[in-house]
Amino acid sequence: MWLNDTIGFIPKNSWAIDPFGYSPTMAYLLRRMGFENMLIQRTHYELKKELAWNKNLEYIWRQSWDADETTDIFVHMMPFYSYDIPHTCGPEPAVCCQFDFARVHGFFYGRCPWEYHPIEIDQENVKERALTLLDQYRKKSTLYRTNTLLVPLGDDFRYVSIDEAEVQFRNYQMIFDYINSNPSLNAEAKFGTLDDYFQTLKDEADRINYSLPREIGSGQVVGFPSLSGDFFTYADREQDYWSGYYVSRPFFKAVDRVLEQTLHASEMLMAFLFGYCQRIQCEKLPAGYAYKLTAARRNLALFQHHDGVTGTAENHVVLDYGTRMHTSLQDLQIFMSKAIEVLLGLRQEKSDQNPAQFDPVQVRSKYDALPVHRAISAREGTVQSVVLFNPLEQAREEVVMLVVNRPEVTILDSNWTCVESQVSPELQHDKNKIFTGRHRVHWKASVPAMGLQTYYIANGFVGCEKAKPAKLKLFSNLSSIQCPTPYDCSEVEGDVVEIENQHQTLTFGVKHGLLQKVIQKNGLQNTVAEEISLYSSTGGAYLFVPHGEAVPISQSGGHLVISEGPLMQEVYSYPKTAWENTPISHSTRIYNGGNTIQEFLIEKEYHVELLGNSFIDKELIVRYKTDIDNKRIFYTDLNGFQMSRRETYHKIPLQGNYYPMPSLAFMQGSNGHRFSVHSRQSLGAASCKQGWLEIMLDRRLAKDDGRGLGQGVVDNRVMNVVFHILIESNISSTSNPVSDPQPLNPSLLSHCVGAHLNHPLHTFIAKKPQDINVQTHWGPFSPLTTPLPCDLHIVSFKVPRPAKYSQQQVGDPRFVLMLHRRNWDPSYCRKARSECTSVADEPVNLFNMFKGLAVLNARPTSLNLLHEDMEMLGYTEQIGEVSQEGRVIIPPMEIQTYKLELRAHQ
């Protein structure tokens, strides 16, 4: 959009030479943005060899679910080790380096490591030099099908001066002139852009059909094979697998996700502010924050760089990324706290200068600190308002938690009706002081889809029961734990301890404080032996290079605190380890509440402090050893968008069997039992043995691994990792993971769990408590006429140009709605065991989606909002009928975008 606005240009070729492995999600997104071609480089060297052997380095990338060839995009894969000049003219770096004329004296680049250096081209040597270079071109061309050859000429940090560009141009032009003036050489060489290359290639492919016998191709470009799948895990040589970066700097991988979900929520609120604007003179507030929203988008986008979210940047760059994200998070939270006032009708002012009446419940003191819960003071005779925003497209029933300074509180809903609640002590990672002295209050909240709901925390409200204190059981060999008031405490008896809700019972070993098994109330029993272990390794930010097996670190006799209440049961374990400062403590929670999806999951929270010299060259994992016969086959997600089948192979080392896990990994047995782990942030996962799933939590490495960073990774931060674990059994027959190469899909319940984890409720508390006798009533804000179907997700609802909102012509719609239809496995419970009432087989009508907002205009568009030709984007024909009837049917897996014009009903 920026390019189009600024110079009137819309790109159609993607160039991405430096990500460490590639996901087909990128191919899908680019295709639906109107891109035609992709160029990629970093894929496994053995795979390059295999593709080159069959002349398949240029291919059509097709999505695994796509039977109709609607997702096809043409891809050029570079053939050699690197994208620099020694590795791009042909197969011999020592020869190619001689044609990097910026390495002659006078520039700051190093000389050629092969000791044959470039020399200026003149009339005397041009013939010999041209034939030498042409020989490399000829050899390279044998790896591809066509007579059109791409030879990139550049590297990182090149062309910093006109002189450098000039020396390359001058020397190459002489070589090209020689080649072009000698017809006997059968070659023509010239400078060109990437677009020139793809255009020339396609013109040739139109004239000559390069298809091989029995090859499945594509109508997109004839003469090339179509391939599906992804390119993880990358290795550039020997056994150097780049699976370390899946976990490097995990603290910032988590912040990335928090900024993403906060931006998603903020854009939604801003769209509602603009949409309802005619009724509540409010344009100044969203317009005043427009530039901060744009900055937040850019800071989030910047961190998606292949040295940003990957954790492979230098320390001072990490600081810059972190500071940018932190600033944007704070800006967005201030905007949200003001926006909810307007949408609840509490603020009539025209300006955004007034301070907000609400604070976000979580505060971060600095860019690399964990967020801390603001404690509600709850003094006698006062009441404090709490506003919850639900960014999801379905209404939400969920047990929520706030921290209070005093335990004697009562929860009231927006009608001042009593709500059942429980209070339990707040815990911390400190073996000498496990209880902080503050308290956590839990209650079941109900929040409308994309809406707001208010609750009140009162102290001294007559006629309501106070929050029920949890019953505590304590065990410790480290030091005595004092029972905090006002709780009943008892000592743990026996070797095992259990917590249960109406669906499942969890069993833990007391000595190590680790989960042992899960018994479902329908009779299923699953061994889930939890283990926390360390690898010793010598990798770096990019590479995982383990030495031997991971060694368990929990010793017998740490602290154990079991809290049991009506809404939440928890086992908190501070394990005894060989170190004075143990690197990890963890909580396991299950919830009650009725009609919540939380009842079906197990919440694991790991508090990780991999700090200090004791943990140099150590990598921390959690491993779940289950009795699922998965045959070492498991599934991980790609970009939170699709699943990929993974198989563990003995012939490649452990590090090559590790895969990225942005948000989900699961194993499935032959009986249909499925063990899923949903993650709140990106990490790496493996299944080393049958029934095992291990996930790496953090890594601390002293040395550089020679891939360009020039330092180790020892700037670890204290962090919390949260998993939602789901154990499901199917209700009808399934495909066999062993024989079926296709990826399996998550169940509908699994999708719901993932959505709740990745789009949590946003909680705001009033800055000032009120007197309990002054009852203010704020109704809910509920913008949808009905919740959307359970498998339809709003990827974004936003005003893409908030700063230009007023100046835009009425003919051009100012709002954007992006919808994604999730693909789910129907052999598991169709209702997602929840309030799921509908799925998106029926059309959704955009025209009457919002209460109080008329949709005047709805036009389908590309994902980058720049193309209106749906056929060119690969969509099937039905998408075009929206503008007349507003009816939308989206096939599973598709993402579709609509430009809307909204007007508030007067």
Side-chain angles (χ1 to χ4, degrees):
M1 284 176 77
W2 183 87
L3 275 175
N4 193 34
D5 289 349
T6 312
I7 58 170
F9 178 76
I10 301 176
K12 58 176 196 263
N13 304 297
S14 155
W15 167 273
I17 51 173
D18 216 8
F20 328 134
Y22 293 85
S23 161
T25 305
M26 204 64 210
Y28 172 80
L29 296 175
L30 288 167
R31 176 76 167 94
R32 295 289 186 255
M33 287 166 94
F35 280 67
E36 294 172 7
N37 309 293
M38 298 174 69
L39 181 144
I40 63 177
Q41 151 63 17
R42 289 191 184 276
T43 58
H44 197 301
Y45 63 94
E46 285 288 354
L47 189 98
K48 285 193 189 226
K49 197 158 77 180
E50 170 68 22
L51 291 174
W53 187 255
N54 297 302
K55 297 194 178 184
N56 289 342
L57 286 166
E58 288 180 322
Y59 63 92
I60 306 292
W61 206 344
R62 182 175 300 163
Q63 300 305 315
S64 60
W65 69 84
D66 175 20
D68 304 324
E69 304 186 13
T70 71
T71 59
D72 291 3
I73 189 167
F74 185 81
V75 183
H76 171 94
M77 186 189 295
M78 292 166 68
F80 304 127
Y81 172 77
S82 170
Y83 50 73
D84 61 5
I85 296 172
H87 294 94
T88 44
C89 90
E92 294 162 81
V95 176
C96 291
C97 194
Q98 299 168 42
F99 295 89
D100 183 0
F101 297 100
R103 291 179 191 253
V104 295
H105 289 303
F107 295 101
F108 58 84
Y109 304 113
R111 306 281 277 152
C112 289
W114 298 272
E115 298 303 325
Y116 299 104
H117 302 295
I119 44 176
E120 283 276 345
I121 305 297
D122 54 31
Q123 290 309 321
E124 273 66 65
N125 66 14
V126 66
K127 177 181 181 182
E128 181 272 328
R129 293 282 78 198
L131 294 177
T132 303
L133 183 60
L134 197 56
D135 180 56
Q136 288 299 306
Y137 289 177
R138 187 184 55 73
K139 287 170 176 162
K140 181 178 181 177
S141 75
T142 62
L143 308 179
Y144 293 93
R145 298 186 178 198
T146 71
N147 293 309
T148 308
L149 186 68
L150 174 70
V151 184
L153 185 75
D155 199 350
D156 295 356
F157 314 116
R158 284 300 185 94
Y159 303 115
V160 293
S161 70
I162 290 290
D163 292 347
E164 178 189 343
E166 192 54 50
V167 74
Q168 298 281 30
F169 176 76
R170 187 176 67 245
N171 284 284
Y172 271 93
Q173 193 62 62
M174 286 185 75
I175 294 173
F176 291 173
D177 288 344
Y178 180 83
I179 292 172
N180 296 341
S181 60
N182 283 285
S184 61
L185 295 177
N186 280 329
E188 181 193 354
K190 63 181 180 190
F191 292 105
T193 63
L194 195 57
D195 195 58
D196 291 332
Y197 170 71
F198 284 123
Q199 212 44 64
T200 310
L201 177 103
K202 288 186 177 178
D203 290 346
E204 184 184 339
D206 284 344
R207 294 194 313 276
I208 308 165
N209 186 346
Y210 287 104
S211 300
L212 297 178
R214 294 188 299 284
E215 178 173 85
I216 296 173
S218 163
Q220 193 77 7
V221 185
V222 178
F224 300 91
S226 69
L227 303 175
S228 288
D230 64 274
F231 293 102
F232 298 109
T233 289
Y234 170 55
D236 57 347
R237 51 184 156 89
E238 292 156 351
Q239 297 202 324
D240 289 357
Y241 282 87
W242 295 41
S243 48
Y245 83 87
Y246 301 156
V247 191
S248 297
R249 305 277 198 3
F251 177 90
F252 294 102
K253 285 176 163 67
V255 174
D256 173 72
R257 205 62 70 81
V258 175
L259 179 55
E260 184 187 11
Q261 68 211 20
T262 309
L263 181 62
H264 172 261
S266 301
E267 293 189 314
M268 208 171 255
L269 290 175
M270 184 170 273
F272 284 131
L273 286 184
F274 276 128
Y276 290 113
C277 223
Q278 290 89 331
R279 276 196 308 205
I280 36 182
Q281 298 304 305
C282 58
E283 214 174 275
K284 279 201 172 145
L285 173 63
Y289 274 89
Y291 70 99
K292 288 187 170 173
L293 221 82
T294 303
R297 285 178 190 166
R298 288 179 177 173
N299 287 334
L300 177 64
L302 186 71
F303 192 61
Q304 306 318 303
H305 184 273
H306 61 259
D307 290 317
V309 67
T310 51
T312 53
E314 293 176 62
N315 290 351
H316 68 278
V317 182
V318 172
L319 182 140
D320 183 62
Y321 279 134
T323 308
R324 285 168 180 273
M325 292 198 288
H326 181 63
T327 303
S328 286
L329 259 175
Q330 289 181 307
D331 287 343
L332 294 176
Q333 287 183 324
I334 293 168
F335 165 71
M336 287 176 77
S337 48
K338 291 184 175 187
I340 63 178
E341 290 176 41
V342 179
L343 294 171
L344 288 172
L346 309 184
R347 173 191 281 270
Q348 302 303 333
E349 299 92 19
K350 316 281 190 291
S351 110
D352 66 325
Q353 298 309 311
N354 298 27
Q357 299 177 38
F358 291 96
D359 279 325
V361 76
Q362 293 198 340
V363 277
R364 286 176 188 261
S365 59
K366 56 186 213 295
Y367 81 96
D368 61 349
L370 276 176
V372 178
H373 277 268
R374 252 182 243 273
I376 292 177
S377 57
R379 289 194 311 281
E380 177 75 37
T382 64
V383 62
Q384 200 131 0
S385 321
V386 178
V387 178
L388 303 169
F389 174 57
N390 170 19
L392 288 180
E393 49 291 312
Q394 281 93 34
R396 196 155 171 164
E397 305 261 314
E398 193 167 306
V399 176
V400 296
M401 186 277 286
L402 280 182
V403 174
V404 289
N405 281 333
R406 297 180 177 78
E408 56 280 353
V409 293
T410 301
I411 306 292
L412 307 163
D413 68 14
S414 56
N415 301 320
W416 291 69
T417 310
C418 320
V419 176
E420 181 190 24
S421 57
Q422 107 178 37
V423 65
S424 52
E426 186 184 43
L427 305 164
Q428 65 185 357
H429 179 84
D430 179 347
K431 73 172 172 209
N432 300 316
K433 190 185 175 213
I434 277 203
F435 300 113
T436 65
R438 309 196 304 175
H439 308 268
R440 295 172 292 165
V441 61
H442 284 84
W443 77 95
K444 189 175 97 174
S446 180
V447 193
M450 290 168 77
L452 299 164
Q453 185 65 274
T454 309
Y455 286 87
Y456 300 99
I457 297 194
N459 184 340
F461 189 78
V462 183
C464 271
E465 214 182 339
K466 289 185 177 146
K468 273 201 189 72
K471 289 191 163 47
L472 304 184
K473 291 183 193 150
L474 310 174
F475 166 85
S476 180
N477 281 359
L478 285 173
S479 60
S480 66
I481 313 177
Q482 293 295 306
C483 182
T485 35
Y487 302 97
D488 278 344
C489 296
S490 58
E491 285 193 16
V492 172
E493 292 168 10
D495 291 338
V496 294
V497 64
E498 289 184 349
I499 52 173
E500 65 174 324
N501 65 10
Q502 67 268 47
H503 299 292
Q504 50 191 354
T505 302
L506 275 54
T507 307
F508 297 80
V510 171
K511 288 199 176 83
H512 295 89
L514 295 165
L515 182 61
Q516 290 180 344
K517 69 173 179 228
V518 179
I519 302 158
Q520 310 260 2
K521 292 295 161 80
N522 61 9
L524 292 176
Q525 283 205 33
N526 286 93
T527 303
V528 183
E530 179 184 24
E531 182 184 284
I532 295 166
S533 298
L534 279 176
Y535 283 105
S536 295
S537 69
T538 52
Y542 304 89
L543 305 184
F544 175 35
V545 187
H547 298 297
E549 299 284 323
V551 180
I553 62 169
S554 305
Q555 298 177 357
S556 180
H559 290 308
L560 209 57
V561 178
I562 296 102
S563 314
E564 293 181 290
L567 292 166
M568 188 275 295
Q569 292 81 44
E570 173 180 52
V571 173
Y572 172 81
S573 168
Y574 183 101
K576 179 172 189 270
T577 62
W579 299 275
E580 180 58 31
N581 295 326
T582 196
I584 189 167
S585 58
H586 53 102
S587 296
T588 312
R589 303 182 196 104
I590 53 174
Y591 296 90
N592 290 336
N595 287 339
T596 68
I597 62 163
Q598 280 164 308
E599 302 156 38
F600 300 101
L601 58 85
I602 299 163
E603 181 168 277
K604 281 289 332 185
E605 182 166 2
Y606 296 93
H607 178 90
V608 179
E609 300 194 359
L610 207 63
L611 313 173
N613 292 336
S614 320
F615 301 107
I616 288 287
D617 294 333
K618 297 279 187 275
E619 316 213 15
L620 183 69
I621 63 158
V622 59
R623 184 180 282 160
Y624 302 107
K625 299 177 171 178
T626 73
D627 48 8
I628 288 176
D629 60 330
N630 71 323
K631 308 281 189 286
R632 297 204 310 279
I633 292 163
F634 67 117
Y635 299 82
T636 61
D637 73 303
L638 293 163
N639 316 84
F641 176 66
Q642 58 180 308
M643 300 305 296
S644 188
R645 180 184 186 274
R646 310 298 187 189
E647 188 166 349
T648 299
Y649 296 106
H650 281 316
K651 63 184 178 186
I652 58 175
L654 171 67
Q655 57 268 32
N657 285 305
Y658 246 84
Y659 290 95
M661 173 188 167
S663 65
L664 171 64
F666 66 76
M667 304 183 288
Q668 184 172 318
S670 54
N671 55 3
H673 287 198
R674 196 180 269 193
F675 178 85
S676 308
V677 180
H678 291 267
S679 170
R680 202 169 62 174
Q681 68 179 89
S682 299
L683 296 163
S687 177
C688 304
K689 294 191 179 169
Q690 170 145 303
W692 288 17
L693 184 66
E694 73 179 55
I695 300 161
M696 195 178 288
L697 301 175
D698 200 359
R699 51 204 308 266
R700 187 175 181 88
L701 301 142
K703 290 183 271 307
D704 177 59
D705 50 14
R707 293 311 186 274
L709 178 57
Q711 60 161 80
V713 180
V714 290
D715 57 347
N716 304 63
R717 273 46 176 214
V718 175
M719 58 158 212
N720 293 330
V721 177
V722 175
F723 297 145
H724 281 177
I725 295 173
L726 205 50
I727 298 173
E728 299 174 281
S729 51
N730 57 2
I731 48 176
S732 60
S733 63
T734 54
S735 65
N736 180 353
V738 179
S739 59
D740 188 0
Q742 287 287 12
L744 300 179
N745 288 308
S747 67
L748 200 46
L749 174 61
S750 183
H751 275 306
C752 292
V753 168
H756 280 230
L757 192 57
N758 276 299
H759 295 288
L761 290 167
H762 293 263
T763 310
F764 296 86
I765 51 181
K767 284 184 174 165
K768 295 194 183 77
Q770 295 162 274
D771 189 293
I772 206 157
N773 300 318
V774 185
Q775 290 196 11
T776 49
H777 285 271
W778 303 334
F781 167 68
S782 180
L784 294 190
T785 42
T786 50
L788 290 188
C790 291
D791 52 353
L792 202 58
H793 169 56
I794 294 184
V795 177
S796 73
F797 173 52
K798 66 181 177 185
V799 175
R801 290 188 174 87
K804 299 181 180 163
Y805 179 84
S806 299
Q807 296 92 1
Q808 269 178 267
Q809 275 73 41
V810 177
D812 195 30
R814 294 178 288 190
F815 296 81
V816 163
L817 179 69
M818 201 177 277
L819 298 167
H820 171 215
R821 173 94 181 269
R822 296 188 171 116
N823 204 353
W824 48 280
D825 188 330
S827 63
Y828 292 82
C829 181
R830 289 181 66 88
K831 287 232 156 165
R833 298 166 79 168
S834 71
E835 294 295 87
C836 209
T837 48
S838 67
V839 292
D841 296 332
E842 299 296 312
V844 170
N845 195 324
L846 298 186
F847 288 172
N848 53 21
M849 198 168 142
F850 299 108
K851 282 183 206 158
L853 285 178
V855 178
L856 307 180
N857 186 342
R859 295 212 301 270
T861 180
S862 58
L863 297 187
N864 56 6
L865 317 182
L866 294 172
H867 302 283
E868 310 267 305
D869 178 354
M870 293 296 108
E871 215 169 304
M872 179 265 271
L873 303 167
Y875 287 112
T876 45
E877 61 286 350
Q878 63 203 19
I879 186 174
E881 297 152 18
V882 174
S883 46
Q884 284 79 47
E885 301 160 19
R887 286 153 59 84
V888 176
I889 283 206
I890 301 182
M893 291 308 295
E894 287 290 356
I895 302 175
Q896 289 180 6
T897 312
Y898 301 92
K899 287 182 182 171
L900 312 174
E901 187 51 45
L902 302 178
R903 180 74 45 82
H905 295 316
Q906 294 305 327

